[in-house]
Amino acid sequence: MFGMDKPKKTQQYDVKSIEEICSATWEPLYRYVYFKVQNRQEAEDITQEAYVRVLSYSHKGASRPENFIAYLKTTALNVIRDRWRKDKRRGTEVDLETINPLEAAVEDLSEESSRRILIENSLKRLGQDQRRVIELRIIKGFSVAQTAGMMDKTASAIRVLQYRALQTLANILEEND
Amino acid sequence: MKNKERKLSEYIDKLNAGQKPEQHGKPTDKSELEKLCETVRKVRSLKEPDMPAGDYPARLAASVNKGLIRNNPENNKKRIWLTGMAGVAAILVMAVMLNSILPFGGASIVHAMEEAFREVKAYHGTLEIVQTNAKGEQSLQAELEVWANKEGYYYIKGLEGWQKGIVTANNGQRKWQVRPDREEVHVFPAFPDAYRFTFELGKEIQQVKNALSAKVVGEDTVAGRKADILEISPHNGRAYRIWVDKETKLPLQKQSAMQNALQYTITYTQIDFSGSIPDEFIAYSVPYGYKEIDTNPEQLVNSVEEVREIIGFNPRPPESIPAGFDQDGIAVAPGAGLSKLYYLEQDKGDRVIVVQGRPVGEFNAAPTAVLGKADNNIAEIQSPVYEDLGILGGGALYAGITDISSIRWRQDGYEYAVVGSAPLEKLAVFVHSLTGGSFEMPSADDQTSDAPRIEVPVDLEVEQSSQKGVDAGSSPWRLDPAFVAQVFVSLEMSPGGITGEYPVGYEELEVIRNNGKDAVVEVSGDKTPIRRVYLKRLIRQDSTGIWTVIGYDPSDNE
């Protein structure tokens, strides 16, 4: 008898409403997560986990839906931190009421554009071969073999070149940080 | 050092493949490798994100729902109930408020259009087509009265412009055009319908859904109605805009990109949604005094017995009609000796025809076709149909109609083709049913054990630029692997260039393998020391992707 009741009790959430929330908000959140992790597999997983965490506690802050995306983003950042274990402490819980969505949005945009300029300028400071290997391997996404073919080098030479190019770039970025 | 270089390279490869690198799940240190991985991510952030497939919001919602259920601790029933009920209420409130506060993003508006169109059974409107030249001067090209329903039936009457007075209609049985200027009625097959009408809502929404991206770029008022403006980037072709009614969530206006100094804006100046098209509009009749010109090679019949009486054989129906489809008619093309069994997918209006006839000559697959196997014979798979060989050539024009796909093969002394506007996967279900399961459709993921003995270096930048050229309409031969192989073999024989005829004829080349991504072309005769040419679609793996030679095998005595 109890066994028969169980499935009903687990169906506590309104799937239609969850679909509506996801449809209206997934894109900015996914972009934000992707920006951090740079791969689709992880971006999809973390986006999902952020929704689960936020909606599990949504009764605390449903009165401020305009904060919702900012709250999702901050939660997603906590998920990334937890998963990558950069911070051994448990991710800080975010209080929905303390987030100013306007500030968060403005910060996102201005930060993003200044970061882009910084990276682009740093790339320009690399030597021709180093810049090309980064363009082909990372920006255009070619394989080592394809890049080797295009740059007329061996695969192992490409690996060495990209390692050094990234070392140089990391140092330039660090100088400008 | 070498290990670090390899690890960094593998990290880049993982990200390029859209996969999570193992470094992301491990405790991190402040090593140089971690710093370089972070630099890789920073550089990658210059690129647009790799966005998930169109069904992602639905998949996401389903996974989130599962996650929420899983998170409910079983051992605290009171808390489950309280949290659950509060959660349901909060989520409902959140959903309602988000819908009223947030602007629709591109993805959600596309979803909203699909949902809204699902409720539509038929519509009636006035369509205006305006041409704008480079100077901004506008001229009305046409004004049309449109009646259309979800089954694909329509009635279009020209109110203004060069089509004024002309009526074009399709009732699923036949298509016809009434020409008052000549007092003639021209009759065509109902399907495939090479030209339906412009700005057909269902087709338009489907195109937006299949596009590379759709983003909201502004708001406007069209025909007195408030609308969001969406910029659509299709997989090939230039970006265009559509205006989506804020209230009905359905497209109201479409504006093409400026091409050859001309731009077209197509607007529903008035539209309403009704249950059906009035019968009088889609009932075929020839006005008094008009001449009927029947160009339809097909004759509708009522039973397979009639088919046998006319063309001498019983058509083979699928063992079972695929789910969602109903039989929608039987026809014969007496001139070509073909039977045609029509099927209609009720929800989507997609049509599928099973064509059967007696084989003539050898079976030759179109060189651009993907090759599968049906009943242990070669199956020619085209999506869309580029060439109508064999029974595709008899009776109706299929080639060049962009949304028609086909699978053609021979079996038990007959040639069969399954042709339709449905996706290839659905046509494959019909073929499975006709062949008793003996059908193999290759996948682009199928790995080939074939590798060329001699590799040909490839410059991907050159290939990307060639792809752009082909997208813009130049060098269409790059879409045909046999033609690309012919040019390659010929240039190997005459490196200085080809003058006059190609030294190796097109008929001396046979595509022996093509899974849509990799192809192998065999060269016959003894004019060239090359026996096999290996090609790959490097830039885009669909029918619009160019083929590139990546290697070849010399003949054994070379």
Side-chain angles (χ1 to χ4, degrees):
Chain A
M1 179 89 78
F2 287 110
M4 286 182 72
D5 283 339
K6 264 189 176 174
K8 283 184 187 168
K9 288 209 167 186
T10 54
Q11 300 294 324
Q12 302 268 4
Y13 297 95
D14 178 357
V15 183
K16 184 86 188 150
S17 300
I18 294 171
E19 271 181 19
E20 283 176 15
I21 291 172
C22 291
S23 274
T25 54
W26 75 270
E27 198 174 333
L29 176 65
Y30 175 88
R31 282 178 176 274
Y32 178 78
V33 175
Y34 189 94
F35 181 81
K36 303 282 179 197
V37 300
Q38 289 300 323
N39 69 89
R40 197 165 96 179
Q41 184 187 14
E42 223 175 345
E44 288 190 6
D45 281 357
I46 292 167
T47 302
Q48 178 195 323
E49 197 175 330
Y51 275 109
V52 173
R53 285 196 191 181
V54 167
L55 292 179
S56 296
Y57 294 97
S58 57
H59 61 284
K60 290 180 186 170
S63 58
R64 295 274 303 273
E66 67 274 23
N67 280 355
F68 191 63
I69 291 175
Y71 186 31
L72 280 169
K73 285 182 180 176
T74 316
T75 307
L77 199 57
N78 284 339
V79 176
I80 296 170
R81 282 183 186 142
D82 283 357
R83 287 189 174 204
W84 290 14
R85 299 177 199 163
K86 271 189 173 166
D87 187 344
K88 292 270 161 66
R89 287 168 298 152
R90 195 179 153 76
T92 320
E93 288 295 339
V94 183
D95 182 359
L96 184 64
E97 303 297 327
T98 63
I99 298 168
N100 179 338
L102 188 64
E103 240 174 50
V106 171
E107 187 187 50
D108 273 356
L109 281 176
S110 61
E111 256 188 32
E112 193 188 323
S113 72
S114 60
R115 201 166 16 223
R116 282 187 81 87
I117 292 166
L118 174 67
I119 299 166
E120 281 167 358
N121 287 342
S122 304
L123 277 170
K124 283 180 196 159
R125 286 174 57 189
L126 295 179
Q128 197 181 335
D129 268 5
Q130 288 194 343
R131 192 167 62 236
R132 185 151 164 77
V133 79
I134 286 183
E135 273 172 12
L136 292 173
R137 284 283 286 136
I138 303 172
I139 297 178
K140 292 187 176 167
F142 292 125
S143 68
V144 169
Q146 287 168 327
T147 309
M150 283 185 270
M151 293 187 70
D152 203 17
K153 291 183 192 297
T154 63
S156 58
I158 291 296
R159 285 192 203 99
V160 173
L161 184 62
Q162 81 190 0
Y163 193 93
R164 293 193 180 146
L166 285 163
Q167 270 179 324
T168 315
L169 185 65
N171 291 336
I172 297 170
L173 288 167
E174 223 167 47
E175 278 169 27
N176 293 312
D177 244 357
Chain B
M1 179 67 182
K2 281 202 164 164
N3 191 29
K4 279 185 179 176
E5 287 159 3
R6 192 167 286 278
K7 275 189 175 174
L8 183 65
S9 208
E10 283 166 1
Y11 182 82
I12 296 169
D13 287 336
K14 276 279 182 189
L15 294 182
N16 285 347
Q19 293 167 355
K20 177 186 169 185
E22 60 180 40
Q23 285 88 339
H24 286 188
K26 282 185 173 172
T28 56
D29 48 29
K30 295 288 175 194
S31 72
E32 183 175 44
L33 186 61
E34 167 52 23
K35 191 168 88 175
L36 299 188
C37 289
E38 195 182 337
T39 310
V40 171
R41 294 195 297 275
K42 283 181 179 170
V43 174
R44 279 182 61 93
S45 72
L46 296 175
K47 297 204 294 186
E48 264 293 288
D50 179 10
M51 299 302 278
D55 63 346
Y56 179 65
R59 276 194 293 122
L60 174 66
S63 310
V64 169
N65 187 45
K66 274 188 199 161
L68 288 171
I69 290 168
R70 212 180 301 122
N71 276 4
N72 258 341
E74 275 289 316
N75 56 0
N76 188 347
K77 297 209 166 166
K78 192 174 175 189
R79 186 168 175 265
I80 293 172
W81 189 84
L82 285 171
T83 308
M85 293 314 288
V88 170
I91 290 167
L92 279 169
V93 169
M94 186 77 74
V96 170
M97 294 183 84
L98 279 168
N99 274 341
S100 59
I101 289 170
L102 291 172
F104 269 105
S108 54
I109 205 163
V110 175
H111 180 67
M113 280 199 287
E114 273 190 289
E115 288 294 313
F117 191 64
R118 199 163 290 155
E119 302 300 317
V120 172
K121 288 197 171 86
Y123 54 96
H124 172 224
T126 307
L127 200 58
E128 194 181 81
I129 303 170
V130 172
Q131 178 187 286
T132 309
N133 65 19
K135 290 180 186 168
E137 294 162 344
Q138 295 193 325
S139 58
L140 178 72
Q141 295 295 295
E143 191 181 23
L144 307 167
E145 180 185 6
V146 173
W147 282 96
N149 72 9
K150 292 274 271 288
E151 288 166 302
Y153 305 170
Y154 61 86
Y155 165 95
I156 311 293
K157 183 175 185 182
L159 303 175
E160 289 295 336
W162 65 271
Q163 288 192 60
K164 189 172 179 177
I166 296 175
V167 169
T168 310
N170 187 330
N171 64 4
Q173 301 285 314
R174 53 163 72 80
K175 173 181 175 174
W176 69 97
Q177 191 164 61
V178 183
R179 302 288 305 257
D181 51 336
R182 300 183 199 162
E183 297 194 335
E184 287 172 355
V185 178
H186 294 249
V187 184
F188 311 96
F191 181 85
D193 190 347
Y195 179 76
R196 294 173 59 80
F197 64 98
T198 191
F199 209 26
E200 191 178 352
L201 292 184
K203 197 172 162 188
E204 209 57 55
I205 294 168
Q206 201 56 34
Q207 282 173 356
V208 173
K209 194 182 162 196
N210 295 335
L212 216 50
S213 70
K215 58 181 177 188
V216 179
V217 293
E219 292 179 345
D220 198 1
T221 301
V222 175
R225 301 189 66 84
K226 287 191 174 162
D228 286 310
I229 308 171
L230 248 71
E231 189 161 277
I232 316 295
S233 301
H235 283 275
N236 45 60
R238 296 186 184 190
Y240 62 93
R241 289 182 167 195
I242 62 166
W243 280 248
V244 180
D245 191 316
K246 275 181 180 287
E247 192 185 321
T248 65
K249 304 281 184 281
L250 289 166
L252 271 178
Q253 182 171 276
K254 178 178 182 178
Q255 189 173 62
S256 68
M258 185 70 87
Q259 270 179 314
N260 301 323
L262 291 174
Q263 182 178 53
Y264 292 92
T265 307
I266 307 154
T267 311
Y268 277 105
T269 54
Q270 172 270 326
I271 188 163
D272 52 65
F273 302 95
S274 56
S276 62
I277 307 173
D279 287 344
E280 63 265 33
F281 290 111
I282 49 169
Y284 175 71
S285 67
V286 180
Y288 180 74
Y290 278 47
K291 191 174 155 195
E292 184 185 64
I293 298 171
D294 195 343
T295 55
N296 188 354
E298 292 177 22
Q299 182 183 330
L300 290 172
V301 295
N302 296 309
S303 65
V304 290
E305 284 74 28
E306 283 185 57
V307 176
R308 193 181 53 223
E309 279 170 25
I310 298 169
I311 55 172
F313 63 83
N314 275 331
R316 178 201 290 241
E319 279 175 12
S320 59
I321 298 175
F325 283 88
D326 290 324
Q327 186 152 4
D328 191 46
I330 306 173
V332 287
L338 302 177
S339 70
K340 297 187 172 190
L341 305 179
Y342 280 80
Y343 298 88
L344 174 68
E345 191 175 21
Q346 293 297 349
D347 283 356
K348 304 198 167 153
D350 278 334
R351 277 171 201 284
V352 171
I353 316 173
V354 176
V355 188
Q356 183 180 346
R358 296 191 194 281
V360 179
E362 271 187 37
F363 183 90
N364 290 314
T368 48
V370 168
L371 302 178
K373 266 194 171 177
D375 196 39
N376 283 322
N377 294 314
I378 289 175
E380 172 205 78
I381 302 165
Q382 298 193 76
S383 182
V385 177
Y386 274 114
E387 291 191 48
D388 37 20
L389 301 179
I391 58 171
L392 290 180
L397 183 70
Y398 297 114
I401 300 172
T402 52
D403 60 350
I404 301 292
S405 302
S406 75
I407 301 172
R408 182 173 67 94
W409 74 101
R410 283 185 182 176
Q411 179 181 352
D412 303 334
Y414 287 96
E415 188 166 314
Y416 294 85
V418 172
V419 186
S421 55
L424 211 44
E425 294 71 28
K426 288 187 183 168
L427 302 191
V429 178
F430 276 88
V431 182
H432 269 288
S433 190
L434 283 156
T435 56
S438 171
F439 174 58
E440 294 166 29
M441 187 149 85
S443 153
D445 298 330
D446 290 349
Q447 293 299 313
T448 170
S449 54
D450 293 344
R453 279 158 57 193
I454 297 172
E455 287 190 7
V456 173
V458 172
D459 185 334
L460 274 175
E461 285 189 358
V462 170
E463 296 308 307
Q464 272 167 342
S465 151
S466 301
Q467 177 71 63
K468 281 182 190 160
V470 172
D471 289 344
S474 63
S475 307
W477 59 273
R478 292 293 307 265
L479 302 172
D480 178 345
F483 209 149
V484 175
Q486 184 189 20
V487 173
F488 171 76
V489 172
S490 302
L491 283 171
E492 286 293 303
M493 293 169 73
S494 320
I498 303 156
T499 47
E501 293 291 311
Y502 287 98
V504 173
Y506 190 72
E507 63 288 350
E508 291 172 275
L509 300 149
E510 188 189 358
V511 180
I512 57 167
R513 185 174 184 281
N514 180 351
N515 65 3
K517 187 178 168 193
D518 299 286
V520 181
V521 176
E522 202 158 71
V523 188
S524 58
D526 52 9
K527 291 179 193 159
T528 165
I530 295 174
R531 273 300 139 255
R532 282 183 170 192
V533 182
Y534 295 77
L535 303 102
K536 215 175 181 64
R537 276 190 165 127
L538 292 168
I539 310 299
R540 200 183 295 140
Q541 287 76 44
D542 61 25
S543 63
T544 64
I546 59 168
W547 289 101
T548 304
V549 174
I550 56 156
Y552 63 90
D553 291 346
S555 61
D556 291 336
N557 47 9
E558 277 300 308

